[in-house]
């Protein structure tokens, strides 16, 4: 078992694969950096979810970075041990195939969202999905404008303009780091 503090790196893009990680407790984010250092969050994972399947099976370098969002504990199953179990027990790979399929669906959805929706529309969709605690400005779970930008493939300045736009149409109210949803129907 491995333990990580909040914001501690678990996997670095380009490093060799150590194995499949399963989250016992906590939360992680999967992300990439652009050449200019801008962060794009690909996914957040919680207790019971796994990550790094791709590198385990294609036996190449880690394609993403992974960091603990909060204090997190993970189990690590070495790549060789996992491939050995699957070779001896092919039915064991069914859940891994399901996870890979779900990840592929999520990525196809993210590509479509980045291609077909404006930043304001992507932000509105994010605001519909996240919890009140992430909007309220209270505690470590609060999402900043930088966090929102990283999740929707944008930058903070554009997110700020989009928040103002959503405020102007009466979908939300923004006050000192707190966002209140007024009308989910107006969050297109």
């Amino acid at each position: 078992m491995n333990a990580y503090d909040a914001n501690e790196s678990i996997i670095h893009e380009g490093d060799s694969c150590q194995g499949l990680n399963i989250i016992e407790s906590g939360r992680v984010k999967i992300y990439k950096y652009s050449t200019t250092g801008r962060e794009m969050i690909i996914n957040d994972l919680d207790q019971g979810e796994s990550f790094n399947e791709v590198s385990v099976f294609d036996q190449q370098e880690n394609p993403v970075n992974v960091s603990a969002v909060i204090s997190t504990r993970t189990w690590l199953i070495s790549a060789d041990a996992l491939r050995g179990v699957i070779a001896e027990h092919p039915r064991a790979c069914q859940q891994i195939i399901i996870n890979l399929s779900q990840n592929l669906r999520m990525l196809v959805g993210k590509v479509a969202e980045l291609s077909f929706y404006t930043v304001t529309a992507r932000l509105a969709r994010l605001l519909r999905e996240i919890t009140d605690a992430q909007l309220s400005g209270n505690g470590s779970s609060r999402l900043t404008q930088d966090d929102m930008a990283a999740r929707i493939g944008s930058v903070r300045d554009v997110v700020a303009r989009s928040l103002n736009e959503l405020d102007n149409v009466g979908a939300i109210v923004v006050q000192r780091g707190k966002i209140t949803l007024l009308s989910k129907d107006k969050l297109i």
Side-chain angles (χ1 to χ4, degrees):
M1 166 128 24
N2 298 306
Y4 302 94
D5 293 327
N7 302 315
E8 187 175 349
S9 291
I10 299 171
I11 291 177
H12 297 280
E13 181 178 356
D15 285 355
S16 62
C17 173
Q18 301 301 308
L20 178 75
N21 294 266
I22 301 171
I23 303 169
E24 181 187 80
S25 63
R27 168 180 277 155
V28 303
K29 69 177 178 179
I30 299 173
Y31 60 100
K32 289 184 76 76
Y33 285 118
S34 72
T35 55
T36 60
R38 196 172 94 200
E39 181 183 79
M40 171 66 178
I41 297 174
I42 297 167
N43 205 359
D44 286 309
L45 301 174
D46 293 305
Q47 179 180 351
E49 296 183 285
S50 62
F51 56 93
N52 215 28
E53 292 93 342
V54 171
S55 300
V56 167
F57 294 108
D58 73 6
Q59 300 180 34
Q60 295 186 34
E61 302 151 349
N62 297 321
V64 295
N65 300 292
V66 180
S67 292
V69 174
I70 58 176
S71 180
T72 300
R73 292 167 30 134
T74 66
W75 294 97
L76 177 66
I77 303 171
S78 80
D80 290 337
L82 188 58
R83 285 191 297 267
V85 166
I86 289 172
E88 291 180 32
H89 308 282
R91 290 178 51 173
C93 71
Q94 287 176 336
Q95 186 59 49
I96 292 166
I97 291 170
I98 290 169
N99 286 351
L100 288 169
S101 298
Q102 289 171 341
N103 289 340
L104 181 58
R105 275 189 192 280
M106 181 268 307
L107 289 172
V108 167
K110 194 165 283 278
V111 167
E113 192 169 282
L114 290 169
S115 300
F116 301 133
Y117 293 99
T118 65
V119 171
T120 302
R122 294 193 314 259
L123 179 60
R125 291 165 62 102
L126 175 66
L127 293 175
R128 287 181 72 133
E129 295 171 3
I130 60 180
T131 65
D132 289 339
Q134 291 171 303
L135 292 173
S136 71
N138 298 325
S140 63
S141 66
R142 178 177 84 79
L143 293 181
T144 66
Q145 288 183 15
D146 285 323
D147 295 332
M148 289 181 220
R151 286 182 180 221
I152 64 170
S154 188
V155 293
R156 193 189 64 72
D157 299 8
V158 177
V159 166
R161 285 194 298 271
S162 293
L163 286 169
N164 285 335
E165 191 176 321
L166 293 169
D167 193 344
N168 290 338
V169 299
I172 63 172
V173 172
V174 180
Q175 294 175 318
R176 294 184 178 224
K178 181 179 179 178
I179 300 170
T180 304
L181 299 182
L182 297 178
S183 173
K184 284 194 174 188
D185 294 336
K186 291 182 180 180
L187 291 175
I188 47 177

